[in-house]
């Protein structure tokens, strides 16, 4: 291995997560696999073939750059949907290649129509409705004009869907706000149909939406974090498990992040370790340097708090996490030596280090921790 660390992606764990998701969503909803943020840090180029081989037929990304990466990585010509940004010079190839995209303002709707005319190819759009998240989406005062534009340009538009996004379905504290969103969206759907439109798909649910608001599965769902084996929040897990007799976590993490010991040495009592004075050896301490730091996505806020696994034991990060390396305390494992495996996320022996556990230490959500993992680190699919 000519890389300071590597990532393994477990095929069998992914299959288990998919089976769980299938059971949750039933047969009536199209499952769109959300792969924005480099497939939540798992790596688009490795993840897409894995998902396709498991039967996934639709992907969602944030922007046109990610769409291109998915397109290159895929073999089966899956459905592909852009939920956010599109570079102005990308609209043409996106329409040309039949990629679906959110339309949330008049500018984009007009661009879509113009280019569809020019290319003689219908633009495949999902109308995004503002229901209370207050981010992107057509607002109520615009509906009349939207309806008119759609009607006038039916020949150039393939109405793939109408959709919205919930403002925090992973947190019960948002319940009132979300119920308002759902009611508004349902009214919009009725209104939209009354105007004679029939979108192919209606979608609003992300992972937490599917778990906490199953009534909004409609006929399509956009699921990210669950498929990677993580819960949107601890609360969502508690909510889910609370209703079950089987109290086991049904999800399986598919990512493991590993490196190896680069160097070891003894440091005497009273010495400071690393930059500055954040860690002083209170006894003679054996340390190991490992070649992973914040440049690779291991947060600096895990300085003096992170945990890794060596020789099947949990070892603490001591001192500051540096750009390319960090130091761990291996006093309790005299046998540890240069070249020994170090697990940053994943299992070794009976122990595991989960993203959730150090997300909590560093106050980061699973989402953020995962997507920070550098895309330069090689990903490898394992059974
Ligand atoms: C990220 C995202 C999702 C998926 O969210 P998860 O919580 O990971 O399931 C769905 N819809 C939109 C619009 C998103 O941005």
């Amino acid at each position: 291995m000519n890389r300071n660390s590597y990532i393994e992606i477990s095929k069998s764990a992914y299959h288990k997560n998919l089976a769980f998701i299938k059971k949750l969503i039933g047969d009536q909803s199209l499952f769109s696999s959300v792969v924005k943020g480099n497939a939540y840090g798992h790596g688009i180029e490795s993840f897409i073939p894995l998902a396709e081989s498991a039967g996934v037929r639709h992907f969602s990304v944030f922007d046109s750059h990610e769409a291109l990466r998915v397109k290159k990585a895929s073999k089966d010509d899956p459905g592909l949907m852009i939920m956010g940004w599109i570079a102005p010079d990308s609209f043409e190839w996106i329409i040309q290649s039949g990629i679906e995209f959110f339309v949330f303002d008049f500018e984009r709707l007009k661009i879509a129509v113009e280019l569809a005319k020019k290319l003689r190819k219908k633009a495949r759009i999902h109308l995004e409705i503002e229901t209370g998240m207050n981010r992107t989406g057509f607002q109520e005062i615009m509906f009349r004009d939207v309806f008119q534009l759609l009607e006038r340009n039916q020949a150039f538009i393939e109405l793939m869907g109408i959709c919205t996004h919930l403002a925090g379905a992973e947190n019960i504290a948002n319940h009132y706000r979300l119920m308002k969103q759902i009611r508004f969206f349902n009214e919009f759907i009725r209104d939209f149909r009354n105007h004679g439109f029939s979108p192919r798909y209606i979608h609003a649910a992300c992972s937490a939406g599917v778990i906490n608001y199953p009534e909004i599965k409609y006929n399509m769902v956009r699921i990210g974090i669950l498929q990677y084996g993580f819960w949107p929040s601890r609360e969502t897990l508690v909510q889910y498990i609370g209703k079950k007799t089987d109290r086991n976590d049904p999800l399986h993490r598919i990512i493991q992040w590993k490196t190896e010991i680069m160097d070891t040495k003894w440091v005497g009592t009273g010495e400071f370790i690393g930059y500055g004075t954040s860690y002083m050896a209170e006894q003679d301490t054996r340390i190991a340097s490992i070649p992973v730091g914040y440049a690779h996505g291991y947060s600096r806020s895990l300085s003096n708090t992170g945990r890794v696994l060596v020789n099947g034991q949990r070892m603490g990060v001591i001192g500051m996490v540096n750009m390319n390396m960090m130091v761990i305390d291996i006093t309790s494992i005299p046998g540890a030596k240069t070249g020994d495996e170090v697990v940053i996320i994943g299992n070794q022996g009976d122990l595991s280090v989960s993203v959730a556990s150090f997300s909590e230490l560093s106050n980061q959500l699973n989402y953020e921790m995962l997507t920070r993992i550098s895309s330069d680190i090689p990903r490898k699919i394992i059974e």
Side-chain angles (χ1 to χ4, degrees):
M1 146 176 114
N2 183 28
R3 286 304 184 93
N4 28 12
S5 70
Y6 61 100
I7 285 168
E8 291 174 349
I9 306 286
S10 161
K11 188 172 168 180
S12 54
Y14 185 59
H15 283 216
K16 288 179 198 157
N17 296 337
L18 274 187
F20 171 68
I21 291 169
K22 289 255 163 67
K23 228 168 59 195
L24 272 180
I25 66 177
D27 308 328
Q28 304 305 312
S29 288
L30 173 68
F31 164 57
S32 182
S33 160
V34 179
V35 294
K36 66 190 182 196
N38 197 27
Y40 291 48
H42 292 65
I44 283 182
E45 285 69 23
S46 322
F47 186 78
I48 297 295
L50 172 66
E52 281 190 317
S53 74
V56 175
R57 299 296 301 141
H58 197 278
F59 296 98
S60 293
V61 294
F62 175 71
D63 60 34
S64 46
H65 176 64
E66 290 173 339
L68 187 60
R69 284 176 61 194
V70 171
K71 196 103 189 115
K72 283 186 178 154
S74 73
K75 283 201 305 263
D76 302 345
D77 198 24
L80 178 52
M81 177 170 83
I82 299 173
M83 305 185 292
W85 193 71
I86 297 176
D89 59 359
S90 288
F91 276 102
E92 205 161 313
W93 73 261
I94 281 165
I95 293 173
Q96 192 72 61
S97 33
I99 294 172
E100 307 156 33
F101 52 97
F102 279 25
V103 169
F104 39 70
D105 65 6
F106 290 116
E107 266 91 303
R108 193 176 275 197
L109 186 52
K110 283 170 186 159
I111 292 172
V113 168
E114 288 315 308
L115 286 173
K117 279 181 191 163
K118 179 177 149 197
L119 299 168
R120 297 168 190 281
K121 172 134 184 163
K122 286 189 175 188
R124 313 179 85 182
I125 70 167
H126 292 255
L127 274 193
E128 190 190 7
I129 306 308
E130 177 59 76
T131 57
M133 167 94 170
N134 292 317
R135 202 169 63 175
T136 47
F138 283 106
Q139 293 171 291
E140 195 170 6
I141 49 161
M142 305 168 173
F143 291 169
R144 258 192 41 202
D145 292 344
V146 173
F147 293 164
Q148 276 176 8
L149 273 168
L150 287 181
E151 218 155 71
R152 212 176 318 137
N153 294 294
Q154 274 176 15
F156 311 107
I157 280 168
E158 189 174 347
L159 193 58
M160 293 299 290
I162 50 177
C163 58
T164 194
H165 191 46
L166 299 179
E170 70 287 350
N171 193 336
I172 195 75
N174 301 326
H175 185 72
Y176 176 76
R177 182 177 175 198
L178 264 60
M179 288 313 290
K180 226 172 113 183
Q181 283 192 273
I182 293 169
R183 270 197 305 276
F184 185 86
F185 190 51
N186 284 332
E187 276 164 29
F188 174 82
I189 295 168
R190 220 171 303 131
D191 194 23
F192 195 65
R193 286 192 167 132
N194 286 341
H195 276 79
F197 299 113
S198 42
R200 191 175 310 174
Y201 295 108
I202 297 177
H203 48 110
C206 55
S207 296
V210 167
I211 305 270
N212 293 333
Y213 301 88
E215 70 274 21
I216 57 155
K217 284 184 285 192
Y218 303 108
N219 65 349
M220 177 170 177
V221 296
R222 311 179 301 258
I223 294 185
I225 197 105
L226 280 182
Q227 68 179 324
Y228 306 104
F230 294 92
W231 292 89
S233 65
R234 178 168 291 276
E235 199 183 304
T236 314
L237 166 63
V238 172
Q239 289 250 333
Y240 177 79
I241 298 246
K243 294 177 200 143
K244 303 283 157 192
T245 42
D246 174 6
R247 295 289 171 107
N248 290 319
D249 184 344
L251 295 178
H252 302 265
R253 282 153 197 172
I254 70 178
I255 196 170
Q256 298 211 79
W257 185 11
K258 297 175 179 175
T259 181
E260 60 182 47
I261 292 179
M262 182 167 77
D263 185 40
T264 65
K265 65 159 59 101
W266 280 95
V267 175
T269 309
E271 291 283 319
F272 292 106
I273 293 172
Y275 289 119
T277 55
S278 81
Y279 189 90
M280 186 205 271
E282 289 178 358
Q283 52 177 0
D284 288 354
T285 301
R286 187 157 180 255
I287 62 167
S289 305
I290 64 173
V292 168
Y294 58 78
H296 310 107
Y298 197 90
S299 177
R300 211 166 158 274
S301 57
L302 290 164
S303 298
N304 286 313
T305 50
R307 299 275 185 279
V308 298
L309 303 176
V310 185
N311 288 21
Q313 295 179 57
R314 216 179 298 269
M315 300 291 127
V317 172
I318 56 180
M320 302 305 286
V321 172
N322 301 163
M323 183 187 292
N324 298 297
M325 60 166 137
M326 57 189 169
V327 169
I328 56 176
D329 182 346
I330 52 162
T331 312
S332 63
I333 32 175
K337 58 185 188 310
T338 299
D340 282 0
E341 180 186 84
V342 178
V343 171
I344 303 170
I345 299 173
N347 311 306
Q348 200 186 51
D350 299 331
L351 295 181
S352 77
V353 178
S354 68
V355 184
S357 67
F358 59 74
S359 301
E360 270 155 33
L361 286 173
S362 68
N363 279 324
Q364 284 185 66
L365 297 170
N366 287 336
Y367 295 86
E368 184 178 348
M369 185 69 219
L370 287 169
T371 51
R372 274 181 175 224
I373 301 172
S374 168
S375 57
D376 282 347
I377 302 170
R379 271 80 171 161
K380 184 170 74 186
I381 307 287
I382 58 166
E383 278 308 307

